[in-house]
Amino acid sequence: MQKKKIASITLLAGAALFLAACGQKSSTSSSEKQVMNTAVTSEISTLDSSKYGDTTSSEILQNSMEGLYRFNSKGQAKLAGATAVSRSKDQKVYTFTLRKNAKWSNGDAVTAQDYVTAWRRTVDPKNNSLDSDSYQVIKNGTKITAGKKAVSTLGIKALGKYKLQVTLENPISYLPDLLTGAQFYPQDSKVVKKQGSSYGTSSSRLVYNGPFKVTGWTGSSIKWTLVKNKTYWNAESVHLTKLNYQVIKTTSTGLNLYKAGDLDYAPVDSDYVKQYQKNKDYHSKTTPTNGYMVFNLKRKTTGNVHVRRAISLGINRAQLVKTVLHSGKAATGLVASDFIYDANGKDYRTSAGKLAGYDLAEAKAEWAKAKKQLGKSKITIELLTSDMDASKRVGEYIQSDLMKNLPGLMVKLRSIPLKSRLSDTTAHKFDMVYGTWQPSFQDPIDYLTIGGLFNLETDYKNKNFWKQINLAKTTYATQPAKRQAALVAAEKQLVQKDAFTAPLYQAGVSYLLNSKVKGFRLSPYGTVAYYWDVQIK
């Protein structure tokens, strides 16, 4: 879960998780036409899919590896490393037939055992995976990561060289989306055994089964290259021959390189949107990533429900988007809109309705109740944010808006390094905390049970909420209409009635893209660039 918070907060910091680009100068040569010069804003942490915890590593893995499923151009999860799948009558056991023509870049076959090896490494407590929470849906996943079951009991089994069986705790509808994630990729068992603890620590200490291979990454380098993987089963569909990556941490630097013709893609953060939004190369996209606040229920002031409701209702979200973010849109609930649809194509957010928003009159009424219950006319509350410029700007807006709208409220802003912010939040050293979070799969339960909701399981004891969540996971798992009704009830309890969290906005990403680049797209979550279908024309 920590990985998701880190990645999402990085997204907000300039909406610049990466700077993907084509080299305009080199593309004029026919021999180099399919070479791109690409950049990201941070270094790779690891290429071990069991241990990564950042967006850059995720982007590189998603372009160089392939799992059972991959997103197509429409953002739909489709079989990739597997050619067929069958499901048991109780919808808990999936049997995958793997591609017999899938190879690792060293020529080894991609086998069912390679998935078993990788998944067991990810849930093994000794590896401290930041994504082991994704395995809660796999049989015994939660107990294994808690050290209560042996790694070998995980619900995955090789039935043969090319036959893989996956067993779930309960039926779920979003398994294909979930299995597109890098944390579910296979790992060449022979290479893992040979490299030991060095696996994935440099580009030469692992092999690849996806569209590209990584070269030149030493473990700390700020430049590396992706080259077309000729052993990839679908190599004929990959047009680019090379992507030269470099780390560029300053958005202005990327924009200057774009204007100079050295990049064909560059992000445009909130400071530059007005300057570039009329540019013919400008593009903007609203993502399902949340900007939100969470309250510390263990402290007397923020433990008061009227305080929390007043604060949530007292923030003008539309104005925040308009004057500070310049992209994205105001949140009306915790679950993002235009992201999750039912069998009839109806947006979940539409069905759930508006559960959060700006209502000054109601905010003042709740604030009056809070002051009366607390016996105070003046109240001081601290807002914790990371020290990234974009996070601080949002924090300053919230501080100003609340102090203007709620008489007697003093908001103190504390901005600290992200790592410290995460640590202080987990340790309950905050009153209210601001951050962002991106989902891992397209289902409301991801937002409602993980969602960047610090200390949810330990602090939030509402029986109705957990009853509805449990019904959605078990009794109603195969009954879509009843399951959605339970999830909507849970969201209403969490957001509207108890205000455990105050959803603020859905983050946007803006960028400049040269018209010569065709087939470029972002992940459905708006966080990483996909180069599988890119072609320079």
Side-chain angles (χ1 to χ4, degrees):
M1 185 163 66
Q2 186 180 28
K3 186 267 310 177
K4 300 181 186 74
K5 298 185 189 80
I6 293 173
S8 301
I9 296 165
T10 304
L11 170 67
L12 180 65
L17 293 170
F18 50 82
L19 297 170
C22 300
Q24 293 174 318
K25 294 178 179 178
S26 63
S27 67
T28 58
S29 168
S30 59
S31 62
E32 297 181 349
K33 187 176 181 181
Q34 300 306 323
V35 175
M36 292 182 64
N37 296 315
T38 305
V40 287
T41 58
S42 60
E43 296 85 351
I44 296 172
S45 65
T46 179
L47 290 178
D48 184 343
S49 57
S50 291
K51 297 181 179 181
Y52 80 100
D54 61 289
T55 303
T56 297
S57 298
S58 177
E59 178 171 321
I60 304 306
L61 284 167
Q62 290 190 54
N63 283 283
S64 62
M65 296 289 193
E66 183 170 83
L68 296 168
Y69 292 88
R70 181 182 287 285
F71 285 120
N72 65 10
S73 60
K74 296 181 180 180
Q76 301 168 323
K78 298 295 183 182
L79 288 174
T83 58
V85 59
S86 60
R87 188 172 61 179
S88 63
K89 187 176 181 179
D90 65 3
Q91 300 184 40
K92 292 171 65 174
V93 181
Y94 287 70
T95 303
F96 295 91
T97 301
L98 304 186
R99 290 188 179 277
K100 294 183 179 180
N101 60 337
K103 304 288 184 182
W104 292 102
S105 52
N106 64 354
D108 288 346
V110 180
T111 67
Q113 185 58 45
D114 295 338
Y115 284 90
V116 175
T117 295
W119 290 23
R120 286 181 176 177
R121 288 185 72 244
T122 303
V123 297
D124 193 333
K126 71 180 181 181
N127 286 325
N128 296 313
S129 171
L130 294 174
D131 243 332
S132 60
D133 60 328
S134 298
Y135 281 77
Q136 292 176 358
V137 301
I138 309 298
K139 185 178 180 180
N140 293 328
T142 301
K143 292 180 180 179
I144 294 169
T145 56
K148 297 179 180 179
K149 281 267 191 178
V151 172
S152 60
T153 65
L154 185 68
I156 184 171
K157 183 185 298 184
L159 301 181
K161 189 173 183 179
Y162 298 107
K163 194 75 70 174
L164 182 71
Q165 184 183 84
V166 175
T167 304
L168 307 179
E169 285 284 359
N170 296 289
I172 58 175
S173 59
Y174 51 87
L175 185 65
D177 289 331
L178 184 64
L179 295 185
T180 64
Q183 69 271 34
F184 291 101
Y185 288 166
Q187 298 166 4
D188 189 323
S189 302
K190 296 178 183 177
V191 176
V192 169
K193 183 177 181 180
K194 178 180 178 181
Q195 296 296 336
S197 60
S198 296
Y199 179 81
T201 58
S202 69
S203 57
S204 62
R205 293 187 179 277
L206 75 163
V207 289
Y208 310 89
N209 72 327
F212 301 96
K213 299 186 298 182
V214 186
T215 63
W217 180 65
T218 64
S220 60
S221 46
I222 61 173
K223 291 185 178 181
W224 59 87
T225 302
L226 297 190
V227 297
K228 183 174 179 177
N229 183 5
K230 295 181 180 179
T231 64
Y232 178 52
W233 69 270
N234 198 22
E236 290 184 0
S237 69
V238 180
H239 302 289
L240 293 179
T241 59
K242 184 184 295 185
L243 294 95
N244 297 313
Y245 269 87
Q246 62 178 312
V247 177
I248 300 177
K249 296 187 177 183
T250 306
T251 303
S252 59
T253 300
L255 292 173
N256 287 334
L257 289 172
Y258 183 90
K259 288 188 289 184
D262 294 318
L263 295 178
D264 281 320
Y265 174 95
V268 181
D269 73 11
S270 58
D271 287 337
Y272 296 90
V273 167
K274 288 186 177 180
Q275 181 180 344
Y276 287 96
Q277 61 185 0
K278 293 184 179 180
N279 189 296
K280 63 180 179 62
D281 294 340
Y282 176 82
H283 302 267
S284 183
K285 174 184 178 181
T286 298
T287 75
T289 292
N290 274 346
Y292 66 101
M293 292 198 305
V294 167
F295 301 91
N296 185 351
L297 300 190
K298 291 185 176 295
R299 292 191 172 175
K300 185 176 181 180
T301 301
T302 47
N304 185 286
V305 68
H306 299 296
V307 167
R308 300 195 301 271
R309 288 177 187 166
I311 288 174
S312 182
L313 291 163
I315 300 172
N316 190 330
R317 293 157 171 80
Q319 197 66 14
L320 169 63
V321 172
K322 181 179 179 179
T323 62
V324 178
L325 303 174
H326 304 296
S327 63
K329 62 182 178 181
T332 58
L334 186 62
V335 180
S337 64
D338 303 316
F339 183 56
I340 299 168
Y341 300 88
D342 63 21
N344 298 317
K346 188 175 182 179
D347 185 5
Y348 169 90
R349 184 73 269 143
T350 301
S351 299
K354 183 177 181 180
L355 303 181
Y358 179 54
D359 187 330
L360 185 55
E362 188 63 24
K364 288 183 175 180
E366 289 288 345
W367 186 238
K369 292 178 184 177
K371 289 193 291 185
K372 183 177 181 180
Q373 285 191 0
L374 295 171
K376 295 181 179 181
S377 59
K378 294 184 179 181
I379 296 174
T380 299
I381 296 177
E382 180 186 82
L383 172 60
L384 178 63
T385 78
S386 79
D387 62 359
M388 297 177 182
D389 287 343
S391 294
K392 287 163 65 176
R393 286 197 296 271
V394 172
E396 289 166 357
Y397 174 88
I398 293 171
Q399 177 188 45
S400 174
D401 211 33
L402 288 176
M403 288 174 62
K404 176 184 69 176
N405 293 335
L406 302 179
L409 174 63
M410 169 65 72
V411 177
K412 291 186 176 180
L413 193 62
R414 179 163 67 100
S415 300
I416 58 179
L418 177 59
K419 186 175 181 180
S420 299
R421 200 228 78 180
L422 293 168
S423 175
D424 277 12
T425 308
T426 303
H428 290 87
K429 296 179 180 179
F430 72 100
D431 289 331
M432 55 186 186
V433 58
Y434 159 75
T436 64
W437 180 86
Q438 70 156 33
S440 294
F441 50 90
Q442 291 173 276
D443 191 86
I445 207 160
D446 195 26
Y447 286 89
L448 299 176
T449 60
I450 300 175
L453 301 175
F454 280 100
N455 309 315
L456 177 71
E457 291 189 16
T458 58
D459 294 1
Y460 187 57
K461 304 299 184 181
N462 184 276
K463 292 182 179 179
N464 179 54
F465 173 82
W466 291 111
K467 175 185 177 181
Q468 298 302 328
I469 291 296
N470 185 58
L471 285 171
K473 286 183 174 181
T474 58
T475 307
Y476 298 153
T478 59
Q479 302 176 60
K482 289 185 177 180
R483 181 176 185 273
Q484 176 154 305
L487 292 171
V488 169
E491 186 181 11
K492 286 181 177 179
Q493 187 72 56
L494 184 75
V495 176
Q496 190 175 57
K497 296 179 181 179
D498 293 333
F500 176 86
T501 180
L504 300 173
Y505 63 87
Q506 280 184 236
V509 58
S510 301
Y511 56 91
L512 300 179
L513 182 67
N514 189 284
S515 59
K516 292 182 180 179
V517 182
K518 306 298 182 184
F520 174 83
R521 56 195 170 93
L522 305 179
S523 72
Y525 313 114
T527 52
V528 303
Y530 290 160
Y531 295 106
W532 324 318
D533 300 320
V534 168
Q535 188 172 9
I536 303 172
K537 293 186 177 180

